[in-house]
Amino acid sequence: MFDQRFVRNFSIIAHIDHGKSTLADQLLLKSGTIDQRDYREQLLDDLDVERERGITVKARAVALSYSHHGQAYELNLIDTPGHVDFHYEVSRSLAACEGALLLVDAFQGVQAQTVANAYAAINGNLEIIPVINKIDLPVTRIPEVMEEIESVVGLPTDDCLKVSAKAGLGIDTVFQAIIDRIPAPSGKPDAPLACLVFDSKYDHYRGVITYIRVVEGVVRKGQKIYFMKAGSSHEILEIGQFKPDMVPTDELGPGQVGYIITGIKVLGNVHVGDTVTDFHKRCSVPLPGYEVPQQMVFCGMYPLDATDFEKLRDELARMVLNDASFSFAPDTSDALGFGFRCGFLGMLHMEIIQQRLEKEADVDLIQTAPNVTYQVLVRGGGEVQIDNPHQVPDSGSIEEFREPIARVNFILPTERIGPIMQLCSDRRGVYITTEYLGQNRAQLFYDLPLAEIVFDLYDKLKSITQGYGTMNYDITGYRAADLVKMDILVKGEKVDALASIVHRSQAERRGRALVRRLKEQISRHQFEIPIQAAIGARVIARETISAMRKDVTAKCYGGDISRKRKLLEKQKEGKKRMKQFGAVEIPQKAFLAVLDTGSDD
């Protein structure tokens, strides 16, 4: 008989690389959910890209059975990502839990994402258990780290657990704390059914698999259910839990986490954050879903082969189902043909989606340079949202050009504050405040334009601080700035896919650097190719790719000079015609040259 008093739902939250996936693996092993022979590192990371990069991208749910004083407990663990781009995945996972393990590295201490995820859990009224991981490292700073947890996150040091996920030390105390400190889920088994959809994925054979957390009532196999947001009804063909593979059961009660399969083939019918209820006895109000994530980085994705357009659309629709923070819309480009304009939460998110499309779906893509969303106030009233440089209206009709601003929180060694402040001021940052976390670590706050953050600020921060600096950011709003659209002309023709929006003070430097890089990327043709960067009608930078010269007189040895002249004249005519009608082939690398701001100087 199911009793929800013996159910616990919890998440593991931490900064990237603090050992979430390793701890999840140990919990699976120690609870007997998996055998030693099935054990492998990053067990819950089932995407190829996660295993390659050693990071978690998707939140994963798994039900553990643990026996405590002779009583069997069901512990539902939701493993979450740690990178700032996947903060939305974390917020969704936390909504399905009552508690969270806040994991902190015994040497690195509290980092930017630790703070961000801890506040997300506090705002969700979750019970937080601080866990110091990697205590078996040769060098640790456990007393200082405990102080940081108390001063920055506000959790008492007495509550800290000390474990080593890799060596398997202290794992039993984690189980003990989950059972003792995290409350059992509330919810009545006899109330009308209400389940929260917290994820979904597409299976080619069985249709959409919907991940649910039961909040009220009981859901059973064969029951007719109703999706409140989509307004569609279906019969449950299979219901089950993740242990960690899918194991069918007959029913799920309040607080339990699992999956349902209804044979849905239409991808638009399942929405993350939707409420599932009984078709005949519906709940009166839907559960509070999730905020719609704000995509801030956009880029164009075009199939290399035009015949792959339909395939790309189907794959993007499946990707949206599995990742609600990603969006796409059809788009066309003069240079690249038909494709899609895709929205992402950040640059890593964009790279991951591109990698998944190329590897899992086997689609060859051309990707244009990403840019952030801008707002333009047009003369005569009216505001336009711009996520593509060629949507920018004529400069004469622009009243005000606004860019998104983010509040950035850096956590770094105190001796590196100067270089980071210099880096931020070079990128038009506005200093807010500095807080000291201990003798040699500080928290620095800046307001920076998002466009200056997304491309390479994280890499620059890592190199300046030798890997010890971390950052987290939140979009705070839009601010007016002196922005201009920079066009790139190749052989006198504007290439819309290479256009970008830049600050006027940096336009000339960026333009010169970009045409220089394009000159390296575009191969020589039989005719001369001028590459220009222009703002409106004013050209601000130019490079010329000289023509390749074929030696047409090679076959003439000795003899009359007029024969050679005739051949050279003929070649000259051909080149003239080619210059007029010849097409320039622009390789994929050239579209990514816009990104490389590192060598602007």
Side-chain angles (χ1 to χ4, degrees):
M1 179 66 189
F2 167 74
D3 188 340
Q4 73 197 60
R5 286 177 306 165
F6 304 116
V7 174
R8 300 286 184 273
N9 294 319
F10 70 100
S11 236
I12 303 179
I13 52 176
H15 189 80
I16 194 165
D17 277 343
H18 280 203
K20 290 176 301 300
S21 297
T22 315
L23 180 61
D25 295 345
Q26 278 293 349
L27 294 174
L28 288 168
L29 199 57
K30 285 275 197 294
S31 63
T33 308
I34 53 165
D35 295 333
Q36 186 70 48
R37 64 179 180 200
D38 295 332
Y39 176 75
R40 58 185 176 130
E41 285 190 3
Q42 280 183 273
L43 191 92
L44 294 182
D45 292 346
D46 49 1
L47 297 177
D48 291 343
V49 63
E50 292 179 312
R51 306 196 67 78
E52 271 172 31
R53 287 173 175 246
I55 59 171
T56 304
V57 171
K58 285 294 301 168
R60 268 293 307 272
V62 60
L64 317 172
S65 300
Y66 186 73
S67 197
H68 180 60
H69 297 322
Q71 174 62 54
Y73 282 83
E74 181 183 300
L75 312 177
N76 291 306
L77 153 68
I78 300 178
D79 182 30
T80 60
H83 195 280
V84 56
D85 279 14
F86 304 109
H87 189 61
Y88 180 67
E89 285 280 333
V90 178
S91 67
R92 290 202 338 234
S93 304
L94 294 178
C97 300
E98 278 80 35
L101 300 179
L102 180 69
L103 209 57
V104 184
D105 188 300
F107 176 68
Q108 292 183 359
V110 172
Q111 301 285 357
Q113 236 9 64
T114 319
V115 179
N117 289 337
Y119 285 148
I122 291 165
N123 293 340
N125 295 324
L126 267 66
E127 180 65 40
I128 301 173
I129 302 171
V131 180
I132 297 177
N133 188 23
K134 307 190 187 180
I135 56 166
D136 60 332
L137 285 175
V139 182
T140 59
R141 308 184 301 119
I142 295 172
E144 293 99 311
V145 170
M146 286 167 80
E147 264 176 53
E148 284 173 15
I149 291 173
E150 185 153 9
S151 65
V152 182
V153 187
L155 297 171
T157 49
D158 313 342
D159 294 352
C160 289
L161 308 179
K162 299 181 192 70
V163 306
S164 165
K166 199 161 195 176
L169 303 173
I171 303 299
D172 287 327
T173 61
V174 176
F175 280 121
Q176 183 82 40
I178 291 167
I179 289 166
D180 295 345
R181 295 197 215 167
I182 294 176
S186 56
K188 304 177 189 69
D190 50 359
L193 178 67
C195 306
L196 177 71
V197 176
F198 70 89
D199 210 347
S200 56
K201 72 173 189 180
Y202 188 81
D203 185 296
H204 284 279
Y205 303 104
R206 310 166 85 181
V208 178
I209 298 169
T210 311
Y211 296 25
I212 57 161
R213 146 83 203 254
V214 185
V215 179
E216 299 272 0
V218 178
V219 59
R220 297 180 176 86
K221 186 180 174 181
Q223 188 173 0
K224 192 172 183 187
I225 53 164
Y226 180 71
F227 286 87
M228 294 182 87
K229 186 176 176 186
S232 59
S233 57
H234 306 274
E235 188 182 316
I236 296 178
L237 306 176
E238 184 180 312
I239 184 168
Q241 289 178 299
F242 301 100
K243 290 187 174 182
D245 299 321
M246 289 160 56
V247 177
T249 58
D250 290 330
E251 61 178 46
L252 293 175
Q256 286 189 294
V257 175
Y259 68 91
I260 52 174
I261 297 174
T262 52
I264 299 175
K265 288 283 197 282
V266 183
L267 299 179
N269 278 3
V270 178
H271 304 276
V272 167
D274 201 349
T275 303
V276 173
T277 185
D278 187 292
F279 183 73
H280 303 292
K281 188 184 170 189
R282 298 180 191 177
C283 60
S284 50
V285 286
L287 298 166
Y290 302 110
E291 288 176 28
V292 177
Q294 274 270 272
Q295 281 112 10
M296 292 314 295
V297 176
F298 287 82
C299 83
M301 285 191 175
Y302 298 85
L304 206 56
D305 184 347
T307 54
D308 280 345
F309 179 77
E310 289 298 327
K311 183 182 177 186
L312 180 60
R313 181 168 37 208
D314 293 345
E315 292 301 339
L316 288 173
R318 287 197 190 105
M319 210 60 85
V320 166
L321 184 74
N322 193 227
D323 183 351
S325 53
F326 163 67
S327 69
F328 71 98
D331 191 25
T332 56
S333 154
D334 298 341
L336 303 169
F338 292 101
F340 297 93
R341 192 84 191 152
C342 304
F344 312 91
L345 298 180
M347 294 290 284
L348 180 70
H349 188 205
M350 181 185 86
E351 276 180 48
I352 296 287
I353 293 275
Q354 184 199 358
Q355 225 172 322
R356 286 182 66 187
L357 283 169
E358 288 183 340
K359 290 210 166 154
E360 293 172 24
D362 198 25
V363 181
D364 287 327
L365 294 171
I366 288 185
Q367 180 190 330
T368 64
N371 59 277
V372 299
T373 317
Y374 295 90
Q375 283 181 353
V376 171
L377 206 62
V378 186
R379 288 217 158 91
E383 193 180 88
V384 191
Q385 286 270 22
I386 283 172
D387 57 43
N388 196 339
H390 71 245
Q391 295 171 341
V392 177
D394 293 334
S395 53
S397 60
I398 296 175
E399 182 83 41
E400 194 175 71
F401 212 141
R402 298 180 190 145
E403 62 183 346
I405 300 294
R407 173 70 49 93
V408 189
N409 165 15
F410 298 100
I411 293 183
L412 65 158
T414 43
E415 71 270 14
R416 294 284 159 201
I417 290 179
I420 291 295
M421 289 179 94
Q422 182 61 50
L423 177 72
C424 291
S425 68
D426 290 348
R427 296 185 173 224
R428 303 184 286 118
V430 176
Y431 171 74
I432 306 297
T433 181
T434 307
E435 293 169 6
Y436 288 89
L437 307 181
Q439 277 186 327
N440 39 21
R441 291 182 68 218
Q443 192 167 225
L444 192 62
F445 290 92
Y446 259 90
D447 275 352
L448 276 156
L450 185 66
E452 302 285 351
I453 298 171
V454 291
F455 293 133
D456 62 348
L457 186 70
Y458 190 68
D459 299 342
K460 289 268 198 297
L461 167 74
K462 285 289 179 198
S463 64
I464 290 174
T465 61
Q466 277 115 29
Y468 289 115
T470 57
M471 62 177 260
N472 181 55
Y473 61 87
D474 289 306
I475 310 299
T476 54
Y478 285 82
R479 188 172 70 194
D482 189 8
L483 302 167
V484 288
K485 176 190 173 190
M486 183 169 76
D487 285 309
I488 298 295
L489 290 81
V490 176
K491 207 171 135 276
E493 297 284 321
K494 280 185 187 176
V495 181
D496 53 1
L498 289 173
S500 55
I501 295 169
V502 293
H503 194 266
R504 196 184 296 274
S505 65
Q506 297 174 347
E508 216 161 296
R509 181 169 63 88
R510 286 267 169 101
R512 272 203 300 271
L514 182 53
V515 294
R516 206 165 49 238
R517 280 195 296 275
L518 287 171
K519 184 182 178 181
E520 291 163 17
Q521 301 294 352
I522 298 173
S523 52
R524 288 170 72 190
H525 288 52
Q526 293 280 352
F527 49 90
E528 185 179 273
I529 306 169
I531 303 170
Q532 297 162 308
I535 293 170
R538 187 168 72 89
V539 174
I540 54 170
R542 170 180 171 136
E543 290 280 347
T544 307
I545 300 174
S546 54
M548 259 191 319
R549 184 153 180 244
K550 187 179 170 191
D551 188 2
V552 287
T553 62
K555 58 189 174 189
C556 304
Y557 44 90
D560 188 4
I561 187 76
S562 59
R563 170 90 181 112
K564 286 186 180 179
R565 262 199 208 122
K566 193 174 170 187
L567 285 168
L568 287 168
E569 284 301 318
K570 199 170 165 191
Q571 184 187 34
K572 208 167 164 187
E573 283 301 311
K575 285 208 182 233
K576 210 175 186 177
R577 202 164 58 247
M578 218 183 238
K579 196 170 178 179
Q580 214 173 335
F581 303 110
V584 180
E585 275 189 33
I586 302 176
Q588 156 73 13
K589 275 186 188 163
F591 294 105
L592 299 180
V594 184
L595 287 187
D596 184 13
T597 53
S599 52
D600 280 1
D601 312 323

